[in-house]
């Protein structure tokens, strides 16, 4: 009996590891074509878990955020931008502001990400919890609390909890992180922008959880910085795309 219990535990860990490796491989593939670095994936994963844990006992979230669901959200989060593999370089890597037509194409990455994960799930012929969460995040992390997001214009509680958490984590990281085309802004300014989005862009309670965990957010960012080598690699990718478009 003890042997069987140990064997089941070992196989369970092995399956979880295979899933994690698959997720990170897929996420890294998307990252090779984007100006985001690999550490963006790791930081947003940590931010999402931090927010979920902070909201676990909240009356509005407790039914959605037990230990298992928080783990699934954490493990699925790296796939939030997997759909960017389907966006042309001329748009994905364009410096400056996108035109209305270009932005319409960029917005397709949410649906493309959902479709890619859904296709994998169909081929497996099984419902897999972490893929269900990954689909939610990929599809809906650009929805806004006020209904002005995309792709479906979901509003308020219509937006899955996992996507509401990712929405804030993704925006915060985009604001404070260095990119090929910009410097990162100070935490204080980024935090002010997040607060300005309370009740419009973001779920108010998710913003409140961010407020309560500000120091932890800063600590995560400091522990997973984008190195000069990361940015140099991205700069070359960026330059190559510009040259190809000339």
């Amino acid at each position: 009996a003890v042997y069987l219990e140990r064997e089941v535990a070992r196989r369970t860990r092995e399956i979880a590891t295979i899933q994690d490796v698959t997720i990170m491989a897929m996420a890294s593939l998307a990252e090779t074509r984007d100006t985001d670095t690999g550490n963006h994936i790791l930081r947003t994963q940590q931010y999402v878990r931090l927010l979920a844990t902070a909201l676990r006992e909240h009356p509005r979230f407790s039914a959605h955020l037990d230990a298992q669901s928080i783990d699934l959200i954490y493990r699925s989060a790296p796939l939030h931008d997997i759909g960017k593999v389907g966006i042309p370089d001329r748009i994905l890597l364009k410096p400056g502001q996108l035109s209305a037509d270009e932005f319409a194409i960029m917005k397709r990455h949410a649906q493309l990400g959902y479709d890619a994960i859904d296709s994998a799930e169909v081929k497996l012929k099984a419902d897999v919890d972490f893929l269900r969460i990954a689909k939610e995040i990929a599809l809906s992390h650009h929805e806004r609390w006020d209904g002005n997001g995309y792709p479906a214009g979901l509003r308020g509680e219509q937006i899955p909890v996992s996507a509401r958490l990712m929405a804030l984590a993704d925006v915060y990281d985009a604001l404070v992180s260095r990119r090929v085309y910009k410097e990162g802004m100070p935490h204080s300014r980024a935090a002010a922008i997040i607060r300005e989005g309370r009740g419009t862009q973001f779920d108010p309670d998710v913003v409140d959880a961010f407020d309560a965990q500000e120091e932890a957010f800063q600590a995560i960012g400091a522990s997973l910085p984008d190195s000069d080598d990361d940015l140099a690699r991205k700069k070359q990718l960026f330059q190559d795309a510009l040259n190809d478009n000339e």
Side-chain angles (χ1 to χ4, degrees):
V2 173
Y3 170 78
L4 286 176
E5 288 177 4
R6 288 176 179 172
E7 185 64 13
V8 168
R10 185 188 69 79
R11 291 299 300 274
T12 300
R13 289 193 302 270
E14 185 177 86
I15 291 169
T17 300
I18 291 169
Q19 290 177 344
D20 290 342
V21 169
T22 303
I23 289 170
M24 293 310 295
M26 293 172 66
S28 295
L29 175 63
E31 180 259 319
T32 61
R33 294 197 54 250
D34 194 4
T35 55
D36 289 337
T37 66
N39 278 359
H40 165 75
I41 295 169
L42 298 177
R43 287 190 301 266
T44 51
Q45 189 181 32
Q46 297 278 355
Y47 295 147
V48 164
R49 182 166 62 182
L50 184 64
L51 290 170
T53 302
L55 289 164
R56 181 175 176 178
E57 304 300 328
H58 192 289
R60 286 184 55 232
F61 293 87
S62 58
H64 304 279
L65 296 175
D66 58 19
Q68 182 180 10
S69 62
I70 291 173
D71 182 61
L72 290 172
I73 292 170
Y74 171 78
R75 293 169 58 206
S76 303
L79 295 178
H80 65 281
D81 275 339
I82 189 67
K84 286 184 176 179
V85 297
I87 303 300
D89 282 349
R90 63 182 175 82
I91 294 172
L92 191 62
L93 299 172
K94 180 183 176 180
Q97 191 169 359
L98 298 177
S99 69
D101 288 344
E102 289 168 338
F103 187 55
I105 294 171
M106 176 65 89
K107 289 195 293 186
R108 292 177 189 169
H109 82 272
Q111 186 67 53
L112 289 171
Y114 175 93
D115 291 345
I117 300 167
D118 187 59
S119 177
E121 193 171 26
V122 169
K123 288 173 182 175
L124 287 172
K125 297 181 180 179
D127 292 328
V128 182
D129 284 341
F130 85 89
L131 291 181
R132 175 180 57 80
I133 298 293
K135 288 192 296 184
E136 289 179 354
I137 292 172
L139 183 65
S140 301
H141 72 285
H142 288 291
E143 300 287 2
R144 291 173 53 106
W145 188 250
D146 60 10
N148 291 319
Y150 66 86
L154 300 181
R155 179 188 298 271
E157 300 283 348
Q158 294 175 331
I159 305 168
V161 169
S162 59
R164 285 182 244 162
L165 302 177
M166 177 53 71
L168 189 149
D170 196 35
V171 169
Y172 174 79
D173 197 68
L175 293 173
V176 299
S177 299
R178 290 190 295 165
R179 291 290 183 268
V180 172
Y181 50 84
K182 75 171 186 73
E183 290 297 318
M185 68 174 59
H187 166 82
S188 58
R189 184 178 169 199
I193 291 172
I194 295 294
R195 292 186 189 104
E196 286 170 10
R198 186 183 187 277
T200 53
Q201 185 167 4
F202 307 115
D203 182 326
D205 289 323
V206 176
V207 174
D208 292 346
F210 166 79
D211 278 343
Q213 299 294 329
E214 268 194 83
E215 290 186 5
F217 263 73
Q218 288 180 275
I220 290 168
S223 69
L224 292 166
D226 295 317
S227 70
D228 291 339
D229 287 344
D230 289 334
L231 292 170
R233 180 170 54 87
K234 288 298 180 180
K235 186 174 182 179
Q236 187 60 55
L237 174 70
F238 198 73
Q239 191 60 52
D240 289 345
L242 292 178
N243 292 339
D244 288 343
N245 288 335
E246 289 177 356

